[in-house]
Amino acid sequence: MAQRAAHLTTVVADLDDRPSIFEVIAQESLMETVRPALEHAIKVLVDANPARYCFLWKWFDEIYTVLNLLLQHHFLSQASASFAENFYGMKRMSLRRPLVSQPPASQGLPKKQHLYSLLLLVLFPYIRTKLEKFASRLREEDDYAIHLSASPKKKFYKAFLAAYPFVSMTWEGWIFSQQLLYVFGRTKHHSPLLKLAGVRLAYLTADDIRALESVPPSPGSGLHQSCSEKLKLFLNQTIGKVASSLSTGLSVGVFFMQFLSWWYSSENQDTIKSLTSLPTPPPPVHLDQQNSPLDVHGQMPLCPLCHKFCSNDTALATSGYVFCYRCVYTYVKLHQRCPLTGYPTELQHLIKLYCPESASDH
């Protein structure tokens, strides 16, 4: 009877320490808000000085991944949770250990669960972002009628473009089904990634909070500390201070970041443009052949890239310059910037210019 009572007590405690579905979804959306806010800050820097900060935009995914790796590693080591989970008062617990033998959150996760959690928190979102950008680029190439020659690579691209939406839909459906099972108490984890890492989420206990708030003494602070130990201690302290500052700053700025995410959403931007943008000016009443596509000398303008007469005129929305379509398409696809101003540019910023037939013959 005592063993059965202990088992029932463990089951009840195991259910009581589970966060609600609203809390786990909120902590997941936190990092989804941090990335767009940081991306917008980088974009402002690049627009202000393209020559100096253009590399930040080009390698933004890799820079963000490295910063995310350092941040998540610190919180997994110090609080047994990711940054967002710790922000909402949660911790990760190993599925292989019973509740009574779980170590305090301040001791970190076991090495295996720590490594799996770190890879799934950092590497999985990076790969998914790259796949989404790759699929978007293939769709743009298909929309702009830029096709590759018949080759196995072209067949692979077409197969990937056809299969990726179904794979993404299957993954989202799996996550939704896990969340439904989590709501009804049929599973301990709301996401397949937690199951792959061998952990589940739980609330921080009062002992965990006291241990996390207390400052432990620095190990190896004696005179016999080697240079490598001092360097490791310095890096850990630096990352800890940065992570603590970021956590404190987010406590104040989380609502502001939510506002930025809403403000720069596509739906809100369409509404703002419809309310604040000036009306499109009407076309000129008298369209003179010498003034439509010709320059002041009565000649067709030259492409700044090939220095020949523009063929299939295309303007860049980011700078306003006009190029040959094939020239500017190839350049923007390789460099993601305007060839004259250096402004960050994507393929969707290409605007084809259609001239009257009477002025197109030169």
Side-chain angles (χ1 to χ4, degrees):
M1 291 295 293
Q3 294 179 351
R4 179 176 177 81
H7 173 71
L8 292 176
T9 303
T10 303
V11 172
V12 172
D14 195 28
L15 293 176
D16 290 340
D17 68 350
R18 288 194 324 149
S20 67
I21 187 63
F22 303 103
E23 291 171 312
V24 296
I25 292 178
Q27 64 88 16
E28 286 183 349
S29 63
L30 177 60
M31 293 306 296
E32 296 176 358
T33 306
V34 172
R35 181 186 176 94
L38 182 60
E39 189 173 9
H40 176 71
I42 296 297
K43 188 176 185 300
V44 171
L45 288 177
V46 175
D47 290 340
N49 194 335
R52 176 176 297 181
Y53 301 111
C54 188
F55 75 97
L56 294 176
W57 182 263
K58 184 177 181 180
W59 300 101
F60 174 78
D61 292 335
E62 287 71 23
I63 295 174
Y64 178 81
T65 301
V66 172
L67 295 177
N68 191 25
L69 175 66
L70 296 176
L71 183 67
Q72 303 297 357
H73 172 70
H74 170 77
F75 277 93
L76 287 174
S77 302
Q78 303 296 327
S80 299
S82 67
F83 168 71
E85 293 161 359
N86 179 260
F87 183 81
Y88 280 92
M90 306 178 197
K91 65 177 180 179
R92 296 192 171 204
M93 301 175 61
S94 176
L95 292 175
R96 298 183 177 181
R97 293 184 179 182
L99 184 62
V100 294
S101 63
Q102 292 285 346
S106 58
Q107 293 185 7
L109 290 171
K111 291 184 178 180
K112 188 175 182 180
Q113 279 77 20
H114 178 96
L115 179 60
Y116 288 171
S117 297
L118 193 62
L119 291 177
L120 294 174
L121 284 170
V122 178
L123 188 59
F124 181 80
Y126 173 76
I127 295 176
R128 186 174 183 182
T129 300
K130 286 298 184 181
L131 289 176
E132 290 178 353
K133 289 187 175 182
F134 180 64
S136 178
R137 189 185 68 181
L138 290 181
R139 295 190 194 100
E140 290 175 355
E141 292 179 355
D142 188 65
D143 293 339
Y144 282 92
I146 301 296
H147 299 286
L148 301 173
S149 58
S151 63
K153 183 183 293 186
K154 177 182 177 181
K155 296 180 180 179
F156 170 76
Y157 287 166
K158 285 187 175 181
F160 172 81
L161 196 59
Y164 183 75
F166 296 98
V167 175
S168 180
M169 182 179 63
T170 302
W171 173 254
E172 295 295 337
W174 189 11
I175 294 179
F176 180 71
S177 63
Q178 285 290 118
Q179 292 177 351
L180 284 180
L181 294 175
Y182 184 83
V183 169
F184 292 105
R186 298 300 181 91
T187 182
K188 296 181 179 180
H189 33 72
H190 70 283
S191 172
L193 297 180
L194 291 177
K195 185 176 182 180
L196 292 175
V199 296
R200 70 176 184 89
L201 294 181
Y203 287 121
L204 288 172
T205 63
D207 294 335
D208 292 329
I209 296 176
R210 284 192 294 267
L212 292 174
E213 291 178 349
S214 63
V215 181
S218 301
S221 58
L223 299 175
H224 301 287
Q225 194 174 12
S226 63
C227 294
S228 60
E229 293 177 348
K230 291 181 179 180
L231 179 61
K232 184 177 180 180
L233 179 60
F234 173 76
L235 292 176
N236 289 335
Q237 291 177 347
T238 303
I239 295 175
K241 291 179 179 179
V242 172
S244 178
S245 301
L246 182 59
S247 179
T248 304
L250 278 182
S251 301
V252 180
V254 62
F255 297 104
F256 178 71
M257 287 190 298
Q258 292 284 358
F259 172 77
L260 285 180
S261 178
W262 168 81
W263 181 263
Y264 290 102
S265 63
S266 57
E267 295 83 1
N268 187 56
Q269 286 299 307
D270 293 339
T271 305
I272 293 175
K273 289 180 181 178
S274 63
L275 296 176
T276 61
S277 60
L278 296 175
T280 304
V285 179
H286 302 286
L287 185 60
D288 190 1
Q289 177 179 350
Q290 294 182 353
N291 296 327
S292 52
L294 307 181
D295 59 11
V296 294
H297 302 290
Q299 297 180 352
M300 293 293 292
L302 298 180
C303 173
L305 290 175
C306 65
H307 303 290
K308 299 179 181 179
F309 292 133
C310 287
S311 175
N312 197 357
D313 298 5
T314 303
L316 284 184
T318 53
S319 63
Y321 286 94
V322 180
F323 308 85
C324 295
Y325 175 75
R326 186 169 295 275
C327 295
V328 70
Y329 179 90
T330 304
Y331 188 92
V332 171
K333 181 180 177 181
L334 292 177
H335 303 284
Q336 290 83 42
R337 61 184 176 88
C338 173
L340 298 182
T341 63
Y343 293 161
T345 305
E346 302 293 340
L347 292 178
Q348 61 265 26
H349 296 144
L350 303 181
I351 302 177
K352 291 186 179 181
L353 303 178
Y354 298 95
C355 303
E357 295 181 358
S358 58
S360 61
D361 298 327
H362 59 281

